[in-house]
Structure formats: structure tokens, C-alpha cells
Amino acid sequence: MIFNNKKLIIFDFDGTLINSIPDLTLSINKMLSNYNLPKLTIEQVIPFIGNGAKPLVERSINYATNGLEKSNIIFEEAFELYLDSYRQNICNKTYTYNGVVDTLKYLHKKGYKLAICTNKPYIFIEPILKKLNIRDYFNHWIGEDSITEKKPSAAPLLYLAEKENVEISSCLMVGDSKNDIYAAKNADMDCVGVSYGYNYNEHIADYNPTHIIDNFAELQECL
Ligand SMILES: O=C(O)COP(=O)(O)O
């Protein structure tokens, strides 16, 4: 599929541009170990990603304490422990998926405006972009706490379109999660689903994005 007349491409972050799951899991496990709870595997943590940091911590604690006593856990304290650990391990094993760097370079060179809309806390975005040497490709990035609503609300996508002064029909959302597809549909925006991400272990095709790609570099054939 070829998308004509697009000017602004908005990317999801975790599961689309970067595989952050090893560092997220490490930080979840550091938090859990504080309460002598069993460690979770990467596979166990994957379906907890997508709605932001608090749901990730909450789902992980619920899973790890299944049947165990949890009255000793104060959620706000556990959340701070997780944030502290992630701050220190933000980009140890996180990497860009295959084709991401070359494709960002290609799109940037072609004159597209590029932005990121993630449900990750804002404070974590820039350090990762810098560490992975991709910061300068993006005009804007927003996190779950940047405005009052997050994906699957249309609000963050509408906010970015307005910031960049681009009409919705000239924007394209690219993401791995149903939250990305719903946000795009709620904003009446075309969207590309990537099949290799997390998406609660569900097929992205089940959410009917405008187009699906299996490798990020395929975007170069669409734009
Ligand atoms: O941190 C999350 O829960 C999801 O982040 P994402 O929106 O970049 O996939």
C-alpha cells in the first residue's frame, strides 16, 4: 500500500521502534525482589505493557502475588521503586528493531515530520532516544503524562497534529498495539500496524489497521 500526501508520521515507541522489554522486566523484578516476590520472565511481562507505567506495575504485582499475601505492599512505594530502577536501567539492553534506524533516516531525508506518541512516562523518552542515537529524527515526542489523556484516546494524536500544523488526513500513525490502532481510528487517522510487537500477545490484524507490515523497513515502500 502507498500512502499519498502524508506529512507527519507518528510512531508508537515500545514494541514499534524499540524493544524495551529486557529493561522493563529487570526493573519490575528489582521492585518485586524488594517484597521477596518471585521474578517474572520477559514472556510474562509482555502482556502487561501498553497502558503506561502504573498499570504495568499493578499487573506485575497482581501476577507475582497470585495467592500470596500482599498487604505489605504499598502501591505508591512499589511504583517509586520501579521508577527508580528503570531510571538506572533505562537503556541497558533496549534496542531498535530491525530496519528502524535506516528507515527513520530515509523518512527524515524525504522531508517527513516525525513524532513519537507513547504511553511511557515522558521523562524516560529522551534518554532512550539519545542513547540509541535517534533523537534528532523527531520533532516532538509525548508520553502518557504529557497531556491529560493517553492512547487509546485520540487526544495525543490530535495534539501532535496541531503542534505540527498538519491536517489529520496528512498524518499516519504507526504502532504495534491495539491502543495505537484505536487512538488512530478515534482520531480518524490512517494507521499502520506492525506485527512484531507486544500487543498483549494478540494479532494486530484483529484490530484492522489501514495496513500491516512485518518489518519496519517495509514503511519505505509505503511512503
Ligand atoms: O509503556 C507502555 O505501557 C507502552 O508504551 P508504548 O505506548 O510506547 O507502546
Side-chain angles (χ1 to χ4, degrees):
M1 176 177 256
I2 295 177
F3 292 100
N4 291 311
N5 306 320
K6 297 299 181 199
K7 293 183 181 143
L8 172 63
I9 320 297
I10 304 173
F11 298 98
D12 167 61
F13 203 24
D14 304 73
T16 299
L17 297 178
I18 58 165
N19 188 4
S20 50
I21 189 73
D23 292 327
L24 293 171
T25 303
L26 179 103
S27 304
I28 284 293
N29 284 335
K30 284 219 164 158
M31 177 276 294
L32 292 174
S33 71
N34 190 66
Y35 302 103
N36 295 320
L37 288 169
K39 281 187 180 178
L40 303 186
T41 63
I42 280 178
E43 288 69 29
Q44 285 167 327
V45 173
I46 283 178
F48 302 155
I49 298 172
N51 301 89
K54 279 193 174 163
L56 168 64
V57 172
E58 204 165 11
R59 290 164 185 166
S60 300
I61 291 174
N62 285 342
Y63 190 92
T65 54
N66 188 19
L68 300 173
E69 177 59 45
K70 65 172 167 184
S71 59
N72 60 327
I73 303 176
I74 299 163
F75 180 77
E76 288 306 326
E77 180 197 69
F79 185 57
E80 284 307 317
L81 286 172
Y82 163 75
L83 292 180
D84 277 352
S85 175
Y86 194 52
R87 219 172 272 129
Q88 288 166 41
N89 297 285
I90 192 144
C91 208
N92 287 343
K93 294 191 176 167
T94 294
Y95 59 89
T96 52
Y97 286 103
N98 227 349
V100 165
V101 177
D102 285 352
T103 304
L104 291 176
K105 196 186 264 179
Y106 170 89
L107 296 174
H108 189 253
K109 204 167 167 197
K110 274 194 97 175
Y112 289 103
K113 296 176 174 193
L114 309 181
I116 293 174
C117 176
T118 170
N119 279 351
K120 210 177 186 65
Y122 177 80
I123 194 163
F124 295 136
I125 306 169
E126 192 171 15
I128 299 176
L129 292 176
K130 277 186 172 165
K131 181 95 188 275
L132 297 173
N133 287 319
I134 54 174
R135 179 186 180 278
D136 292 345
Y137 293 124
F138 300 99
N139 289 15
H140 280 111
W141 47 86
I142 54 172
E144 61 170 335
D145 44 356
S146 297
I147 61 169
T148 50
E149 289 178 54
K150 59 182 162 181
K151 299 177 291 184
S153 164
L157 301 187
L158 300 178
Y159 173 88
L160 286 168
E162 200 184 311
K163 271 257 170 223
E164 287 295 337
N165 204 14
V166 175
E167 287 183 11
I168 298 301
S169 58
S170 299
C171 299
L172 181 68
M173 173 72 196
V174 181
D176 71 309
S177 162
K178 62 182 173 188
N179 299 316
D180 304 316
I181 311 305
Y182 284 145
K185 287 184 190 258
N186 289 336
D188 210 12
M189 193 179 284
D190 282 333
C191 55
V192 171
V194 308
S195 62
Y196 54 77
Y198 311 142
N199 197 30
Y200 311 91
N201 292 327
E202 293 182 290
H203 291 296
I204 200 65
D206 295 346
Y207 295 91
N208 293 315
T210 322
H211 183 57
I212 297 177
I213 56 174
D214 298 322
N215 186 301
F216 195 83
E218 286 172 51
L219 262 190
Q220 297 183 36
E221 294 153 28
C222 305
L223 290 162

